[in-house]
Structure formats: structure tokens, C-alpha cells
Amino acid sequence: MNSTVVFTLMLLPLAGSVLNMAFGKRLKRPYAGVMASLFVATSFVLAVVTWLDLLAKPSGQRVFDFTLFSWITSGSLHLNVGAYVDPLSVTMILFVTGISSLIHIYSIGYMSHDERFSTFFMYLNLFVFAMLVLVLSDNFVFTFLGWEGVGATSYWLISFWFERPTAAAAGKKAFIVNRIGDFGYLTAVFLLFTYLGSLSYGKVFGSVGQLSHGTVTAIALLFFVGAIGKSAQLPLFVWLVDAMEGPTPVSALIHAATMVTAGVYLMARISPILHLSPGVGTIIAFVGVITAFIAAMAATSQTDIKKVLAYSTVSQLGYMFLGIGTGQYVAAIFLMVTHAFYKALLFLGAGSVIHGMHDEQNIKKMGALRKLMPATAVTFILAWLSIAGLPPFSGFWSKGDVLAGAYQQSALLWLIGAITAILTAYYMGREVYLVFFGKQRFDPAVKVHESPKVMTVPLYVLAILSVFGGALNLPVSDKFRFLENWLAPVFGHALTQSTISSSLRFVLGAADGVFAIVGIALASSLWIKSSSRPAAEPAFLAAAWGIDRFYDRAIARSSTRLSQMFADVIEVKVVDRATMSVGALVGLVARYVRKVQSGYIRNYALYISIGAILILGYFMTRAGA
Amino acid sequence: MIDLLATQIALPDLITFLIAGCAVILGALGVILMRNPVHSALSMVMTLFAIAVLFIEQDAQFLAAVQVIVYAGAIVVLFLFVIMLLGVDKKEYLGKDQLRGQRPLAFLSVLVIFVEIMALSRGNWVSGAKGTVLSTSSPLSNVEQLARSIFTTYLLPFEATSVLLIIAVVGAVVLVRRSDVKSSPAEEPEELQTESEMK
Amino acid sequence: MTVPGSWYLVLSALLFSLGALGFFTRRNVLIMFMSMELMLNAVNLTFVTFSRMLGDIGGQTLVFFVLVVAAAEVVVGLGIIVAIFRRRSSATADDLSIFRG
């Protein structure tokens, strides 16, 4: 196991970003993107090397803690810049760098007309670096650096087209909402340090058992608050939908495949803490499943091609938290990986449609695109079937694992999850039918074109992964549960033993398949012919249950009013007057004191002599002369 | 005082001290009272010579020589050169000082300083204990003693003074060099004008 | 018996006071400079006097260094005066009072 490989793969995207910052503007159009893609792709290759290295080791010896250098040493606080290489972090770096590489390549085509081409890749590379720091770090503070790094790059990329006021506002919103989550994360870290005196993963997880039950619960809950912010769960999910203002590859990479799963990763990482506080698990499970349901409902009524996907992402993240909350960490990670495949594919497909339609995003103004964009259509449909959970696509296996785990915990969780599964198949079906089937509803004068190869090849790769991704963890026999066996050393102590008999499991799986078919059938019957059914898309669902409006009324406007009051009254009457009067006082004193500064050297010398007299006088009192 | 005069002090020493002391004071008064700078400089020569005499009187022959050569020779000549070069040998008005209160305050503070120094020199700060490290009681001559002191104990400061002198020479050259030959003389009145405006 | 050290100390205190007085009252930069030299010489005299009173050559060594520093100071100081005089054509320190408050 070589630490150089790990740190190189971590730093390569940073190097790419710095090079792009320095020379990107001078490179000709595609080359800035090619360079960025090369750096990330090399990172991916090194991630594979690391994975193979780890695979060659016996299962129990796959945890490594490398230190690059000592970062902060202050009192009893010792923090390293280091990498914690274990099956979990390697899984993360594999799919993060892999999908990032594909999306980098895709962006070369998608952003080809943009003026700030190299800047985009600089941010994108920086994002990958921050994400790698987040997943590879060996302590909570360095993780937080990555956590904030992905937040910052996400902010820059959402408001990449900052000349649009909506994009600028969306970036701000994402940033501010994420701060609420960061507050939870930081408080949890403070608590950990106060009670355990250490923040490195190894030490914390080794000694977390000493903590009282209340403390552990508080820490777990606060970390969950952080995860809620980053992974867009109820009640902080509102930023993710607005984040769709960013370029579509950004939505695919950051707001679907990788960054938003950071919260899930964090929960999986602190599984030893969660394991000690089962009550928090229940809360997480319910927050997750309710988010999944609410977001899926909202997705059924959106008309923006990307907003459907955004709510879908929120919903799928809810499933992942359901998995975490019910102790099914492997299922959550499994869903995270397969979701990264098919959701990235969906976003990239949507981007391809937007690109081909010349920036049209309203699905009501599309239709019948399958003939004009065959490659996009086929891959998009495969992704739909996958997210819908139709056997044997990858979504079926991963979602099935999560739902089976939920059933084991509580029938209610399972029921909400199942309804959400039907909704998932339905709203994605609606989007597919409105975009690719039915009548052509856009102006025939618009020259719709299929995207170039540089964009479609990543689609093919992701389509293959979406279809066969389920092979990662087949519940056929223990031998085929690759992911579970691989991750077992990480979660070993925290995994709840499956109490479901294989026959029940089979029944549940069959039910999942039925849900998918029901949802698809519902979508077909409603949307294959018609494009407007007001009854099926109520306004309050289109407005996402009015949650955004509620926040606006309850928080944004009242705090604006408060700030206005401070600006008008307190600022003017108290702060200004105080500073002004201090200034006036200084002026008044100076008007007299400045006379001392006569400008005559000999006058100054006289003052010096008076000082000398005083000093000599002091010595006289001491000398007793 | 009278007792001391009568009994203990050798007459040649006493006469030398009195004459040299009077010369020191008269020279100093000349420096600060003469209206013409050239006269001030010449008065200073008197003071410096008298101090050289006092050095000899106190067995500091080497320093007396240096005092005459460096101070009374080089430095005073430098002063005279500058006075002549700048043509400032005009008489200065020594009547009322336009800085109100400067002159009485100066007299007062100088008086107080003098009194304080006198008082302190009689206090217990001057122990009168003989030095032990670099004793003057050795049979060596004054020059040899001074040389041993400078080239052994104070070698590093001595070397540092060489650097200081180089810096001083370079600094003087840089200061006095006419840096901007290109600037037209017309600029200078303008500058003066702005400065007088600032007043 | 030679003249006692305290006489020399009184003399040098007097010389120092006269130098200080000159510095405080005169306006010609050159004369102010000379007054400073007087003060330096007063201090030198005390050093030599103490050297004799305490039987320590260190005092004379210090005077040696003061002489070197004084020489350097005069060179630079007169250089500054010449440079100022070129710009202002005046050797009166009171004219250089544009930093008056």
C-alpha cells in the first residue's frame, strides 16, 4: 500500500485547477477541458490502483491511515493532513473520480460555446479535489475543509452564469442554507473534541464507547443536521432545486452524483457513533423517507426538465438516509453508487436535450425527440427504467435492499417508501413521455440536433453502468454480495443482521418490481398522448408544497424587515452617531493638541530635554541624593 | 574649596585646568552667542583645543591627539567648508525669538538639567570603586593600553565602526550628488510656492 | 596632586548645558549642529574623567568610538544640510517647519 499514490490522486485535480487558473485562458478552447479531464482521469486510474492494492490484502487488513504532514498543533489538539484509506473511502473515490472523469469529458462538449470555458474547468477540478479531501481525510476537521470546499465550489458553479440574477440568487441560497447544516457539523466536532480530546477517525471511533448516551445522541443528531444541509433533506432541501440554475454538468456532478451524497457518506463514516444511538437512526429513517415522499410528489408536477430531476435527487437521497437510519449502510452506499450512475446519466441526458434544443428547458415544449436525438433518448430511457426500479436494472437491486431493510425495521417506513417507489417510476415516466414521445410541441423552425460524440460517449458508458450496476451487490447468494463483503470490515460492528427470510425477501423484491410496473403503466396511460393534465399536476405540488414560499414569508421576509429596521434606526441613530461623535471628539482634542507640533526642531528638542529632566528627577528620588 | 587650592593641588595642574576650563566655557559661549557662523566655528576650535588640553591633563594623550586632528582639524574645517560653500556666513538676528516661550523655557530646562546632574554626581551612583578589567595602573603607555583595549575586548565594535564610516561616506556622496540634472530650474520656484502655501 | 575629578565633571556639565542652550535657541542649522558637537565633547570629557577616576581604560575606548561616530555623523549631517540648502537656499531650521500641526 503506497501512500504516494493516495496523495497523488488527491492532489492531481488541485494541480489541474491551478494550471487552469494560470494558463487556462491561453489554451485554445477544447484543450483547457482536455487538460482538466486528463488530470481527473489520471486520478481515477490511481484510485483503481489503490482499490486493486486493497483488494489484494486480506479483508481484515484493509484500513490504512497515512499522514502527509502535521497540520495544526495547538495545545492538546493535533491534526494531520492525512488520508484514511479503507473500503468505504476507496468506494467513494472510485465512483467520484470515475463519474467526474466522464462529466469532465461531457463538459468539453456542453460548455464549448461558453466564454469562460477554462474557468469552468478550473472550478470543476477544484471541486473534485475538495470532494477527494472530504472522503479521504482522516480527521473531522480536514473533512470539514473538503466539506466547505465542495460547498464553495458548488456556490461558484451554481452562480457560474452570474449575469443571470436567478443564478446569482440560487448560489447565495445554496450557500446560506448549507451554513445551517455546517453549524450542526461544527458543533458536533466541538462536542467530540470536548469529550474525547481527539478528532482523528481512528481515535474517535476507538473511544466513542466511553461517552454517555445523551452525548452520543447529541453528536449524532448534530452530524445529521450537517448531512441534512449538504444532502438536501427536509427541511433544508430547498436549495437543491434552485441550484439547477448552474450548468447541467454541474447539476449532474455536484447536485446529483457526488457532493449531495457527502451527507450520506458522513453518516456512513460515523456509523460507530450512530450505532450507539438507535433513536437517532429512527429519526434519520423517518426524515429520509418523508423527504423521499414529499420530493417525489413535488417531482410529479414540475415542468422544467432539470427540476424534475432535482426533486428526484432529493427523493433518492431520502432513500439513502432511510437506508442509513435503518442500519442498512451497505444498501445506502449501494444506492448511492447506482444513483450516481443513473442520475448522472439522467442529468447529462437532460443536458444533451437542452443543448440540442438550444437552451429550452420546459418539457411541455418538447416532445417526439426520440427520432431527432436517438442516442440521448435510448440512454435516457435506460436510466429511467433503472431509477424506476424495474428488474434487472441497477435501481431495482439497490432500492430493493433499502426497502427490505426498512421493512425489517417498520412496516410504516416500508409503506411510504413503496408509495414513493411508484411515484418515482411515474414522474420519471412522465418526463420521458413528454420529452421523447407524443407530438412535437416546439417550433419546427428550431433545428434540433443530436449532441456530439464527446457528449454521447459518456452517456453510453453511464448507461452501461446504470443497467449492470446492480451486479455490484446481487442478493442471490453471499458470494455475489460483492459490495457487502467489501464494506463489511467498515460496518462489521454496526450492521444489523438480516432477519428477513429469503422467501419474504423474494416477495418484497417481486413487490418492488410490481411497483415499478404500476408507476410506468400509470405514466404511460396518462402522458403518452396528452401533454396537459392540470388535475395530475396541482399548483401546490408544482410549488413543492409551498415550502419555499413558507420559508420566504416566515424567515426571509421577517429577517429582511428586521435588518431594514437595524439599517434605518440602529445604524443611523446609534452606530453612526457613536462613530461620528468619537470622530468629533478626536477632532476637538486635536484642535488644541496639534499646537504642540510646532514644526520647529529646536522646540521638539526642548520637549526631549523636559523628558530628560523628568528621568533625571526620577533617578534623584531613587538615588536619595 | 580654598583649602583644596591651598593644600593639595599642584600649582601647574591648577593653572592649566583653570585656563583650559575658561577657554572651554568661553569657546562654548562664543558658539552659541556669535551671530556669524564663521565666528561660531572658530570659537568651537577654541573649545576643542581646550578639551584636548584637559585630555592631556588627565593622561589621555592619544585621545588628545585625535581630538586635535579629527575634531579641531577635520570636522571644523568641514564646517567652514560648508559655511563657505553655501554662503551662509550672514549674520543672524539674535533678538526676540519668534517662538514664544522657547527661550525662557530653554534657559529654565538647561538650568534644571545642570542642577540635576550636579546633584546626581554627588549621590551614591558614583561609587568611586576602581575598575579591575582594564586597569590603567599597568606600566604600559596610554596608547598601548588603548590599543590593547580596542583590538582585543572591543574588536567587534571597532570593525563595526569601519562599516559605519563606509556607510557615512556613501551616504554623504548620495546626499550631495545632484541627482536630477534633467529637471529644469523652473521647477524649483514652483515647489517653493506650494510649500509656502502649505504654511 | 592633580585637579580632582569632580571639577572636570562640573566643567563638562556646564559645557553640556551651554550646548543644549545653543541647540534650543539658535536657528541656524550649522550652529545647532555645532552645539551638538559641544554636547558630545562634554560627554567625552566626562568619559575621560571617569576613566582617570576609576583607573579604567574603557572610558577612553568609548571616547574613541564616540569620535568615530561623531565624524560619521558630521559627514552625513552636513551632507543633509547641503542637500536641503540646494532646495531651499536657507540654513534656518525654522523654515523647515511644514509639518507644523
Side-chain angles (χ1 to χ4, degrees):
Chain A
M1 196 68 212
N2 192 345
S3 64
T4 320
V5 174
V6 178
F7 289 118
T8 311
L9 84 89
M10 186 154 108
L11 291 172
L12 269 176
L14 179 66
S17 178
V18 170
L19 282 178
N20 241 327
M21 201 187 308
F23 307 111
K25 293 231 166 72
R26 281 178 224 167
L27 289 175
K28 282 205 177 132
R29 188 124 293 214
Y31 297 114
V34 171
M35 181 176 80
S37 310
L38 274 179
F39 273 99
V40 177
T42 318
S43 226
F44 173 63
V45 171
L46 292 178
V48 172
V49 169
T50 312
W51 172 57
L52 292 176
D53 255 16
L54 223 53
L55 214 53
K57 298 236 166 13
S59 168
Q61 300 169 14
R62 286 178 183 164
V63 179
F64 293 89
D65 192 345
F66 297 123
T67 302
L68 187 58
F69 58 87
S70 177
W71 180 29
I72 297 172
T73 304
S74 169
S76 60
L77 177 68
H78 298 283
L79 293 175
N80 293 327
V81 166
Y84 192 77
V85 179
D86 71 343
L88 177 60
S89 59
V90 170
T91 311
M92 293 297 292
I93 59 171
L94 270 178
F95 95 84
V96 166
T97 53
I99 291 187
S100 299
S101 309
L102 290 173
I103 293 176
H104 270 73
I105 294 167
Y106 175 92
S107 305
I108 297 174
Y110 189 84
M111 300 301 286
S112 58
H113 305 307
D114 200 271
E115 280 177 14
R116 291 158 66 234
F117 185 74
S118 64
T119 316
F120 181 78
F121 281 97
M122 181 188 96
Y123 288 151
L124 222 51
N125 262 353
L126 198 61
F127 165 76
V128 177
F129 167 67
M131 192 70 203
L132 289 176
V133 167
L134 199 165
V135 297
L136 273 175
S137 144
D138 70 342
N139 63 62
F140 283 104
V141 179
F142 195 40
T143 298
F144 190 65
L145 193 73
W147 183 272
E148 288 300 309
V150 293
T153 43
S154 152
Y155 163 70
W156 291 326
L157 284 166
I158 292 170
S159 43
F160 185 73
W161 289 317
F162 50 76
E163 60 274 12
R164 293 185 197 159
T166 49
K172 256 193 305 193
K173 186 169 177 181
F175 205 77
I176 292 166
V177 173
N178 265 302
R179 288 287 80 66
I180 302 171
D182 297 344
F183 163 75
Y185 184 106
L186 274 181
T187 316
V189 171
F190 295 156
L191 281 179
L192 272 180
F193 184 69
T194 310
Y195 286 102
L196 295 178
S198 172
L199 289 175
S200 78
Y201 288 146
K203 282 189 191 151
V204 165
F205 297 148
S207 56
V208 74
Q210 312 160 2
L211 295 179
S212 72
H213 185 259
T215 318
V216 171
T217 307
I219 290 170
L221 270 178
L222 285 166
F223 272 126
F224 181 53
V225 170
I228 282 177
K230 191 61 80 187
S231 293
Q233 294 298 291
L234 214 60
L236 299 180
F237 71 93
V238 288
W239 66 269
L240 186 62
V241 181
D242 287 23
M244 295 303 127
E245 288 287 341
T248 308
V250 171
S251 310
L253 177 61
I254 300 183
H255 306 119
T258 53
M259 183 189 88
V260 287
T261 62
V264 183
Y265 165 76
L266 178 70
M267 291 291 110
R269 178 51 86 201
I270 63 161
S271 62
I273 299 176
L274 288 184
H275 187 57
L276 293 173
S277 50
V280 177
T282 312
I283 295 173
I284 294 174
F286 271 99
V287 168
V289 78
I290 291 170
T291 310
F293 175 73
I294 283 181
M297 286 297 280
T300 59
S301 305
Q302 301 301 314
T303 55
D304 186 309
I305 187 169
K306 283 175 76 181
K307 284 200 173 155
V308 176
L309 298 177
Y311 281 112
S312 164
T313 306
V314 174
S315 171
Q316 296 284 312
L317 288 166
Y319 271 124
M320 292 176 213
F321 279 104
L322 174 61
I324 297 278
T326 53
Q328 302 297 313
Y329 299 105
V330 177
I333 299 293
F334 185 29
L335 180 60
M336 183 203 284
V337 174
T338 56
H339 171 256
F341 294 153
Y342 55 67
K343 188 51 64 64
L345 176 54
L346 285 170
F347 265 112
L348 295 188
S352 177
V353 169
I354 295 167
H355 193 68
M357 296 275 301
H358 305 288
D359 297 331
E360 179 57 64
Q361 299 201 6
N362 190 340
I363 51 176
K364 302 275 176 174
K365 294 182 183 164
M366 295 178 182
L369 284 175
R370 70 179 186 284
K371 285 165 200 148
L372 293 165
M373 311 179 82
T376 307
V378 167
T379 50
F380 201 91
I381 288 167
L382 287 176
W384 161 44
L385 297 177
S386 187
I387 192 176
L390 197 71
F393 294 91
S394 62
F396 169 74
W397 305 108
S398 51
K399 202 186 290 176
D401 277 2
V402 170
L403 285 176
Y407 184 80
Q408 186 181 331
Q409 191 89 358
S410 136
L412 180 62
L413 288 173
W414 179 82
L415 186 66
I416 305 173
I419 296 169
T420 309
I422 299 174
L423 287 170
T424 309
Y426 164 73
Y427 66 70
M428 282 315 300
R430 169 175 172 269
E431 173 152 303
V432 168
Y433 288 130
L434 285 176
V435 173
F436 294 106
F437 294 87
K439 289 195 201 79
Q440 182 174 323
R441 291 183 300 278
F442 53 88
D443 186 354
V446 177
K447 288 223 184 308
V448 176
H449 62 84
E450 177 61 284
S451 301
K453 279 253 162 49
V454 72
M455 289 168 73
T456 50
V457 169
L459 293 182
Y460 296 142
V461 176
L462 283 170
I464 293 167
L465 289 170
S466 302
V467 174
F468 298 110
L472 283 174
N473 206 26
L474 291 175
V476 183
S477 78
D478 276 350
K479 237 183 150 181
F480 287 96
R481 296 178 158 275
F482 301 112
L483 197 66
E484 187 157 334
N485 294 333
W486 163 248
L487 290 172
V490 182
F491 300 121
H493 55 285
L495 283 182
T496 41
Q497 220 47 48
S498 179
T499 53
I500 303 179
S501 63
S502 55
S503 56
L504 179 58
R505 178 138 202 145
F506 185 78
V507 172
L508 286 174
D512 290 343
V514 171
F515 298 148
I517 293 165
V518 168
I520 292 169
L522 198 61
S524 322
S525 66
L526 284 175
W527 295 104
I528 200 158
K529 291 270 161 55
S530 164
S531 70
S532 172
R533 285 181 189 275
E537 36 193 33
F540 87 100
L541 282 185
W545 308 75
I547 292 174
D548 244 341
R549 199 181 309 143
F550 171 70
Y551 285 167
D552 186 48
R553 294 255 164 87
I555 299 165
R557 290 200 196 170
S558 55
S559 59
T560 307
R561 217 172 295 139
L562 189 69
S563 311
Q564 197 62 45
M565 196 272 276
F566 270 93
D568 290 347
V569 181
I570 302 207
E571 168 77 14
V572 174
K573 296 211 171 134
V574 180
V575 180
D576 275 6
R577 206 169 279 180
T579 49
M580 298 296 225
S581 52
V582 168
L585 188 70
V586 171
L588 197 71
V589 172
R591 194 180 301 161
Y592 298 100
V593 172
R594 70 177 188 160
K595 296 260 163 54
V596 171
Q597 188 141 2
S598 62
Y600 298 111
I601 296 169
R602 53 210 180 89
N603 202 214
Y604 299 159
L606 192 62
Y607 298 146
I608 294 175
S609 78
I610 290 169
I613 286 169
L614 293 178
I615 291 171
L616 286 176
Y618 171 74
F619 278 125
M620 278 170 70
T621 63
R622 297 294 303 275
Chain B
M1 207 76 154
I2 306 295
D3 290 346
L4 281 171
L5 273 177
T7 56
Q8 285 170 10
I9 301 169
L11 198 61
D13 283 338
L14 183 64
I15 292 172
T16 316
F17 176 79
L18 286 178
I19 293 175
C22 286
V24 165
I25 301 301
L26 282 177
L29 283 172
V31 169
I32 65 172
L33 291 179
M34 288 293 182
R35 293 166 66 196
N36 190 324
V38 177
H39 296 165
S40 289
L42 293 174
S43 303
M44 190 167 76
V45 174
M46 182 156 88
T47 301
L48 298 176
F49 262 113
I51 284 176
V53 170
L54 291 177
F55 282 178
I56 291 175
E57 179 65 20
Q58 301 197 74
D59 296 329
Q61 291 88 356
F62 178 75
L63 288 179
V66 173
Q67 173 88 2
V68 171
I69 296 167
V70 173
Y71 252 120
I75 290 178
V76 171
V77 168
L78 205 56
F79 268 105
L80 287 172
F81 264 131
V82 171
I83 291 167
M84 296 307 172
L85 180 73
L86 302 183
V88 288
D89 49 345
K90 296 174 287 202
K91 291 187 173 119
E92 184 186 335
Y93 171 64
L94 283 183
K96 206 163 181 268
D97 196 320
Q98 77 270 43
L99 245 177
R100 198 149 49 87
Q102 170 84 8
R103 208 167 272 182
L105 257 180
F107 276 110
L108 188 69
S109 74
V110 164
L111 196 68
V112 173
I113 287 177
F114 181 74
V115 169
E116 280 182 341
I117 291 174
M118 288 295 94
L120 277 173
S121 65
R122 303 174 122 269
N124 56 8
W125 293 88
V126 183
S127 65
K130 296 275 178 195
T132 50
V133 184
L134 299 159
S135 177
T136 48
S137 57
S138 69
L140 297 173
S141 73
N142 170 259
V143 180
E144 233 177 318
Q145 285 180 16
L146 198 57
R148 278 179 193 280
S149 163
I150 287 171
F151 294 115
T152 56
T153 318
Y154 295 103
L155 185 62
L156 187 68
F158 177 72
E159 296 291 345
T161 55
S162 67
V163 179
L164 180 74
L165 284 172
I166 290 284
I167 294 171
V169 168
V170 173
V173 169
V174 170
L175 278 171
V176 181
R177 190 175 57 116
R178 282 188 189 276
S179 55
D180 41 356
V181 186
K182 277 176 283 179
S183 73
S184 59
E187 273 176 35
E188 286 186 26
E190 197 180 45
E191 204 174 323
L192 281 173
Q193 198 182 356
T194 53
E195 271 163 359
S196 59
E197 272 170 17
M198 286 167 87
K199 279 185 213 164
Chain C
M1 182 76 199
T2 57
V3 181
S6 54
W7 291 29
Y8 285 97
L9 294 181
V10 172
L11 179 67
S12 67
L14 209 56
L15 181 58
F16 184 88
S17 303
L18 286 173
L21 194 61
F23 191 85
F24 295 154
T25 51
R26 293 302 295 258
R27 278 169 298 169
N28 189 319
V29 190
L30 285 161
I31 291 182
M32 289 167 79
F33 215 154
M34 288 180 210
S35 304
M36 269 166 61
E37 297 301 325
L38 291 184
M39 288 190 271
L40 274 174
N41 270 287
V43 174
N44 280 353
L45 187 57
T46 56
F47 273 128
V48 171
T49 306
F50 279 126
S51 167
R52 182 172 66 99
M53 286 166 75
L54 304 178
D56 192 326
I57 199 73
Q60 295 189 25
T61 314
L62 213 53
V63 172
F64 177 81
F65 287 122
V66 171
L67 281 172
V68 176
V69 174
E73 173 226 327
V74 166
V75 167
V76 176
L78 288 177
I80 291 173
I81 289 171
V82 170
I84 292 172
F85 190 83
R86 282 222 185 109
R87 293 195 152 267
R88 320 258 336 190
S89 63
S90 142
T92 307
D94 287 5
D95 290 347
L96 302 170
S97 59
I98 55 170
F99 286 133
R100 180 172 41 199

